[in-house]
Amino acid sequence: MAMRKVYSEIKGMKLKEVPGYFKPMLSMGYLKKSVQRGLDNYHAKYIETDSIEPLFHVCFGGMIFSYLVALPNERRHLEHKKHAEQHEPSTGLYCPWAGFCLSAPRREPECLKWWIEQSESALLKWTVLDSWLATKEL
């Protein structure tokens, strides 16, 4: 709806006049007024009518936010799974601090290096290194 209004307003302008039309819309005062107008419209539509929809907005917004926060960790796990599939399967090393099995296929130094680079905590790094050294035949 808003895009239709903008399109109908700039449809008859020359190309040199279009930046002059949009420049005032990028000022802080205009942005503040737009946000305030949007909040007032939301309040009039949902809060004053005692609607249940703001509760749904909070619930679904919280779900989306938690998904986005967990996404980097999930991507890291998927990357590790893809990396582990490149090697022959073997028994993994269970790390109690990480709470999951640290797969170290064939106990190769490349896998160890990859795990240390991907690990975010120093304790997890030392656990991987210690577990790998404990399984090496001296």
Side-chain angles (χ1 to χ4, degrees):
M1 187 78 174
M3 290 300 289
R4 190 179 308 163
K5 179 183 172 192
V6 171
Y7 176 72
S8 65
E9 289 178 359
I10 65 171
K11 174 169 61 172
M13 292 182 178
K14 292 185 178 181
L15 190 58
K16 289 194 279 185
E17 299 170 349
V18 173
Y21 174 77
F22 283 111
K23 192 169 184 174
M25 294 181 186
L26 299 176
S27 69
M28 287 302 285
Y30 187 84
L31 291 175
K32 287 179 184 178
K33 286 180 197 174
S34 297
V35 169
Q36 186 62 44
R37 192 175 35 220
L39 290 173
D40 289 342
N41 290 341
Y42 185 87
H43 187 269
K45 185 174 182 180
Y46 296 113
I47 306 299
E48 289 180 0
T49 59
D50 292 332
S51 176
I52 190 78
E53 288 189 41
L55 180 63
F56 295 147
H57 295 158
V58 169
C59 291
F60 287 116
M63 280 189 340
I64 292 169
F65 178 74
S66 66
Y67 174 77
L68 291 175
V69 167
L71 188 61
N73 195 28
E74 294 299 322
R75 289 179 57 108
R76 185 172 53 86
H77 285 295
L78 289 174
E79 183 68 29
H80 170 253
K81 184 177 178 183
K82 187 168 70 171
H83 176 77
E85 288 174 355
Q86 294 173 355
H87 302 283
E88 67 185 37
S90 68
T91 59
L93 304 170
Y94 180 74
C95 175
W97 293 283
F100 55 88
C101 188
L102 303 174
S103 177
R106 289 191 280 162
R107 312 284 189 250
E108 292 180 356
E110 297 87 36
C111 294
L112 176 68
K113 181 181 174 196
W114 187 87
W115 257 106
I116 290 176
E117 288 173 357
Q118 296 299 316
S119 302
E120 295 173 359
S121 71
L123 186 60
L124 183 60
K125 291 178 184 182
W126 281 109
T127 303
V128 171
L129 185 60
D130 188 43
S131 299
W132 185 74
L133 289 175
T135 59
K136 291 303 283 179
E137 294 176 10
L138 300 175

